[in-house]
Amino acid sequence: MAVQKIKPTTIEEYIHAASPAVQEKLWKLHACILKAAPGASEALKWRMPAYSYDKILVTFAVFKNHIGFYPMPSVLAAFTKELSSYQTAKGSVQFPIDKPLPLPLISKMVKFRVKESKEGIIKWRS
């Protein structure tokens, strides 16, 4: 009989479903986001952990060699210099699994999204 994979329904289940080697990083990322966005609601959106006020602030996802962090293009534009050593795309940045997470930088990016949310210029819907 094959073992049935359970589809995560919470951020905690998502983190527990990751490989043990990555779980510690994900717990730190989760805590960092919550500290930078106090009171943010938590959910899975597009099968990724998502943190929102009235609209989504940030999401992340685990891949084989990196953690994808999705803070939106406005954040990447604001933090271009700080993100220069990471692979980025239009609205995402890749943090290599084999390197420490830049938690202070992640905190600044989340706080930037919180500021955008408070100013009403945030684009993602929850």
Side-chain angles (χ1 to χ4, degrees):
M1 177 184 259
V3 176
Q4 198 174 22
K5 278 201 159 196
I6 298 171
K7 185 176 167 183
T9 59
T10 66
I11 292 175
E12 290 78 12
E13 288 176 2
Y14 182 94
I15 292 172
H16 283 296
S19 71
V22 178
Q23 286 183 22
E24 182 180 354
K25 284 181 187 282
L26 298 180
W27 285 117
K28 287 179 180 180
L29 178 58
H30 176 64
C32 176
I33 293 168
L34 289 177
K35 185 175 181 183
S41 63
E42 304 172 39
L44 293 184
K45 304 280 185 181
W46 310 286
R47 294 182 288 190
M48 297 186 292
Y51 303 82
S52 309
Y53 286 146
D54 59 331
K55 296 180 181 171
I56 295 173
L57 299 169
V58 297
T59 63
F60 69 82
V62 178
F63 296 92
K64 182 178 179 182
N65 297 313
H66 70 275
I67 296 169
F69 184 66
Y70 305 90
M72 293 300 286
S74 59
V75 175
L76 297 181
F79 291 90
T80 301
K81 186 184 284 186
E82 294 93 330
L83 293 168
S84 63
S85 62
Y86 298 98
Q87 185 169 343
T88 61
K90 184 177 179 183
S92 66
V93 60
Q94 294 181 6
F95 298 122
I97 295 274
D98 62 349
K99 304 271 193 263
L101 285 172
L103 295 173
L105 175 57
I106 292 168
S107 179
K108 288 180 193 174
M109 290 190 290
V110 174
K111 287 176 182 177
F112 186 91
R113 287 293 285 165
V114 169
K115 182 176 177 277
E116 285 184 325
S117 178
K118 288 180 179 176
E119 292 172 354
I121 57 174
I122 204 164
K123 293 185 179 178
W124 247 341
R125 296 185 79 52
S126 58

